[in-house]
Amino acid sequence: MKERFLVTGGNRLEGVVKVDGAKNSVLKLMAAALLTEGTTTLHNCPEILDVPLMRDVLVGLGCDVEIDGPTVRITTPARVSPRADFEAVRQFRASVAVLGPLVARCAEAYVALPGGDAIGSRPLDMHQSGLEKLGATTHIEHGAVVAKADKLTGAKINLDFPSVGATENILTAAVLADGQTVLDNAAREPEIVDLCDMLNSMGARISGAGTSTITIDGVDELHPTEHHVVGDRIVAGTWAYAAAITQGDITVTGIAPRHLHLALSKLKLAGANVETYDNGFRVRMDQRPKAVDYQTLPFPGFPTDLQPMAIAISAVAEGVTVITENVFEARFRFVDEMLRLGADANVDGHHVVIRGVDHLSSTDVWSSDIRAGAGLVLAGLVADGETTVHEVHHIDRGYPKFVEQINELGGRIERVLA
């Protein structure tokens, strides 16, 4: 049965919360385990719904996957199936990360076009173009992307946009290609660095991770490894904005603050006191937040995944905020739900203008994706009365123990059957 959250507003969040490994990293690391025979072990994995979903994808390809709390062990056989069918991949976008490893390992891949969050079009054009430059042929057939390559050869590849997914699939194909690949305008996200670190520990030769130019010198084979997943900067950022919107005081551990530099800087401008440490940060807000403008951009810009949190805090901020979305065109669907809560917001193309109100009023709202769901919970924490958030399975895909952690911090939220 479907579940929903009942969120009672008015409580200040206060305390300490530890962030687990990043959703946007662990799923790609699991896919990268396809590149070598043997058992790859991942530590610090988040206990979220998407991890067993990716397990199902890998099991369908012939792997044995064991999930033991924060530890995931993937045993990849000598022969891997090249087919990732629709039933396995339909529920989440990250399943497309198996494309690069399958082409590299099997010389072919048949990956059903994935499902996932309703935040806008995310075509595979750059994934296909990158693989084609490495020597593969690709096309879309019967609802799947099909790629074949008798031999992958290093190439110079320039991405039109620093796509995280395309960067990942090109990386995982190029590590076993003959010769050198130079990838320009590559994504710079910490999760890309994490993937490169793991691949290098498997025997790959990758340099430049975290910059716009990544160089990959192909090797003949890789070997299994153990790897600690990088902390989830989006979950950490959500807690930072939860502290600010509730005028609370939250210390977040398990994350490198540099991965959230701009997001934390915005909170300082909004009036929060922010302290950073080697492995975390503290956000304290003692006043109504001030309006601050936002513009989403690829890392190191403001993350599009934190845009709903920016909208939520802006809805109750003092002044007028302009938020510009440059990554996903449908992300402003979230604004319609904020209007239900009494926000004063107007969407104009890829901009939204928000005039802060004194308070939000509780009602029923629906989450359309992981981050929108979390943003609605944050809004509900400062609305009067009880807000009901529907479609919470989206939130469970990205936030481990979300209800429990909010209650431990002093909030009031309950999970009930719809």
Side-chain angles (χ1 to χ4, degrees):
M1 294 183 66
K2 290 185 177 181
E3 294 177 320
R4 56 185 173 159
F5 290 165
L6 305 181
V7 185
T8 302
N11 285 21
R12 183 174 188 258
L13 298 192
E14 186 173 6
V16 178
V17 61
K18 181 183 180 300
V19 171
D20 296 324
K23 166 192 177 295
N24 290 336
S25 188
V26 66
L27 305 176
K28 321 305 175 61
L29 301 175
M30 292 175 69
L34 290 166
L35 286 164
T36 182
E37 181 182 357
T39 300
T40 296
T41 302
L42 302 176
H43 301 286
N44 194 39
C45 299
E47 296 181 52
I48 55 174
L49 184 58
D50 272 12
V51 170
L53 290 178
M54 181 58 90
R55 172 195 59 196
D56 293 346
V57 172
L58 297 180
V59 168
L61 297 172
C63 299
D64 180 69
V65 182
E66 176 191 356
I67 300 175
D68 183 13
T71 300
V72 175
R73 298 178 185 87
I74 302 133
T75 302
T76 305
R79 293 181 62 85
V80 175
S81 168
R83 297 183 64 92
D85 292 320
F86 180 72
E87 279 305 311
V89 307
R90 66 184 176 85
Q91 300 183 74
F92 67 123
R93 175 72 182 186
S95 56
V96 78
V98 303
L99 179 61
L102 288 178
V103 174
R105 186 82 191 282
C106 305
E108 62 177 327
Y110 180 100
V111 181
L113 295 175
D117 291 330
I119 55 177
S121 174
R122 294 192 281 184
L124 299 181
D125 296 14
M126 284 186 284
H127 302 243
Q128 293 177 251
S129 175
L131 293 176
E132 288 169 2
K133 285 186 169 64
L134 293 174
T137 61
T138 75
H139 63 279
I140 304 297
E141 177 181 286
H142 303 305
V145 57
V146 180
K148 296 182 180 181
D150 293 333
K151 180 181 181 181
L152 293 176
T153 305
K156 185 171 179 59
I157 301 171
N158 185 72
L159 294 178
D160 294 335
F161 177 85
S163 161
V164 172
T167 298
E168 290 162 343
N169 268 324
I170 293 167
L171 275 170
T172 51
V175 289
L176 292 180
D178 287 343
Q180 185 179 86
T181 298
V182 178
L183 180 57
D184 283 327
N185 201 24
R188 300 166 57 188
E189 275 74 0
E191 295 80 19
I192 294 292
V193 177
D194 200 33
L195 175 61
C196 291
D197 286 345
M198 178 175 135
L199 291 172
N200 281 338
S201 75
M202 295 169 71
R205 297 172 59 194
I206 303 171
S207 60
T211 74
S212 59
T213 300
I214 300 177
T215 302
I216 309 106
D217 289 298
V219 298
D220 292 334
E221 62 180 3
L222 300 175
H223 55 76
T225 191
E226 290 197 31
H227 183 78
H228 185 90
V229 183
V230 69
D232 197 315
R233 62 193 172 96
I234 304 303
V235 172
T238 300
W239 293 122
Y241 278 75
I245 195 172
T246 65
Q247 297 182 36
D249 185 350
I250 299 178
T251 297
V252 180
T253 65
I255 184 72
R258 68 181 182 277
H259 294 166
L260 281 168
H261 174 74
L262 188 54
L264 294 177
S265 296
K266 292 291 186 180
L267 288 182
K268 289 181 182 179
L269 293 174
N273 180 277
V274 179
E275 301 173 29
T276 59
Y277 316 107
D278 288 342
N279 192 41
F281 57 84
R282 177 185 179 187
V283 175
R284 187 180 75 251
M285 179 71 89
D286 300 318
Q287 59 187 317
R288 182 183 178 187
K290 300 180 181 67
V292 178
D293 291 341
Y294 297 86
Q295 180 177 196
T296 68
L297 288 167
F299 188 84
F302 188 84
T304 182
D305 280 353
L306 287 180
Q307 185 239 80
M309 294 51 161
I311 291 175
I313 194 171
S314 300
V316 294
E318 183 179 353
V320 178
T321 297
V322 177
I323 296 178
T324 302
E325 174 58 50
N326 293 306
V327 182
F328 293 126
E329 72 275 7
R331 197 132 229 177
F332 283 150
R333 291 178 58 180
F334 174 74
V335 174
D336 291 338
E337 301 307 308
M338 289 298 299
L339 294 176
R340 294 177 186 270
L341 292 166
D344 182 352
N346 292 285
V347 175
D348 180 11
H350 63 126
H351 307 282
V352 58
V353 179
I354 305 168
R355 295 167 179 82
V357 297
D358 291 334
H359 69 282
L360 299 174
S361 56
S362 59
T363 189
D364 285 45
V365 290
W366 281 260
S367 57
S368 57
D369 65 79
I370 298 170
R371 311 307 171 184
L376 290 172
V377 170
L378 263 59
L381 289 170
V382 293
D384 58 11
E386 186 177 81
T387 296
T388 302
V389 181
H390 298 268
E391 304 292 339
V392 300
H393 63 279
H394 290 296
I395 303 172
D396 292 334
R397 289 182 47 222
Y399 290 87
K401 302 177 182 177
F402 198 48
V403 168
E404 295 84 349
Q405 289 178 321
I406 288 175
N407 285 325
E408 288 172 4
L409 292 170
R412 294 177 61 190
I413 180 172
E414 181 183 1
R415 182 191 296 268
V416 300
L417 291 176

